[in-house]
Amino acid sequence: MSTRPGPPRNLPALLVALHEQEHTGTVVVSGAPGGRIHLRGGRIVGVETPGAPGVETILLNSGRIDDAAWTAVCASGGVTEGALAAELETRGLLPRQEFEIVCTAAVFDGAFALAFGTPGGWEVTEAVPTASAGPSFTPRRLAAQTTRRLSVLAGLWGAPPVELARSRIRPAADFPVRIPDRYATLLRTANGRRTPRDIAFVLGRGVYAVMLDLARMNESGLLHRDRPAPDSERPSTAPRRRERRPPGGTLAAGAVLPRRTPGTHHPHRTATT
């Protein structure tokens, strides 16, 4: 006598089950930070979470596209799946290949950010439109990449990566070294109130990329890390739009950083992740 399988034990198991069923839909994840995982034919095409910058934030805050141009693209109706890349390329704003790279990076970064979340539940709904451009991935590949990233950070930071994720970062008081422009930008953005997640939103970079740079900078004595924020503390809100910097407010590559002082449709039952 055969028995029907029970509900998935956790979110990874759910995603594997949906992949095997070639399911098309959206998994709404509760908890902190929570988010939405988009599947097409069982493969993941998008991960959206408050824990990591999405495609729009990356494009705007990195300066690849300005606000006016993005608004025009959205107003044209080009935000439907498959059409956004074409609309951006037609307007000469972004080559399709670059847009695909951004979308792919956002998928893996979103999955990475969810790994730091407080366990919650899930709900499987009808497919919700999301910014995507073709690439899709199996749940196992995303899980393996997330595990690898966590392992790399643990090795560099010397402690569980969640400690770095919750730390408020500011530059060390003094250091007699010349640093790359990328590091100078991070230190200029780290004001003692922002976590790596907040810095990623401000700069339009991936959370993992920011954490990786910060971990390496910490090894060089460039950082001061304040105590991690408690889980219950509301994270600071980084702007969605690109920060406007005053003239002369940037540092050239290799510049010495100035001295700084501290300053349902619902086919699956809700379960815990």
Side-chain angles (χ1 to χ4, degrees), residues 20 87 95 158 211 231:
E20 292 172 349
E87 186 69 23
M211 290 179 68
D231 290 344

Side-chain angles (χ1 to χ4, degrees), residues 188 243-250:
R188 188 168 49 242
E243 279 195 333
R244 308 299 181 189
R245 293 179 181 145
T250 59

Side-chain angles (χ1 to χ4, degrees), residues 19-20 46 54 63 90 127 148 155 163 194-195 236:
H19 176 250
E20 292 172 349
T90 297
R148 186 194 70 81
E163 178 190 297
R194 290 176 174 140
T195 64
S236 60

Side-chain angles (χ1 to χ4, degrees), residues 36-109:
R36 297 190 296 193
I37 302 172
H38 304 275
L39 298 102
R40 303 295 181 262
R43 297 175 66 87
I44 297 171
V45 299
V47 179
E48 299 168 349
T49 170
V55 172
E56 177 182 0
T57 301
I58 292 172
L59 293 176
L60 291 175
N61 289 15
S62 67
R64 288 181 175 89
I65 299 176
D66 63 34
D67 293 357
W70 181 259
T71 300
V73 168
C74 294
S76 72
V79 295
T80 57
E81 287 184 37
L84 187 54
E87 186 69 23
L88 289 168
E89 189 168 51
T90 297
R91 291 172 176 262
L93 297 172
L94 200 70
R96 180 182 294 270
Q97 184 177 26
E98 184 174 353
F99 182 70
E100 291 181 358
I101 291 172
V102 171
C103 289
T104 297
V107 169
F108 283 95
D109 202 53

Side-chain angles (χ1 to χ4, degrees), residues 113-172:
L114 286 176
F116 293 106
T118 302
W122 65 71
E123 178 183 13
V124 181
T125 73
E126 299 285 358
V128 175
T130 184
S132 64
S136 61
F137 309 93
T138 66
R140 286 189 174 90
R141 181 175 177 187
L142 256 67
Q145 181 62 220
T146 297
T147 299
R148 186 194 70 81
R149 292 181 174 194
L150 292 171
S151 177
V152 169
L153 284 175
L156 288 172
W157 190 249
V162 67
E163 178 190 297
L164 170 57
R166 295 173 180 166
S167 293
R168 308 296 182 177
I169 304 296
R170 55 188 169 91

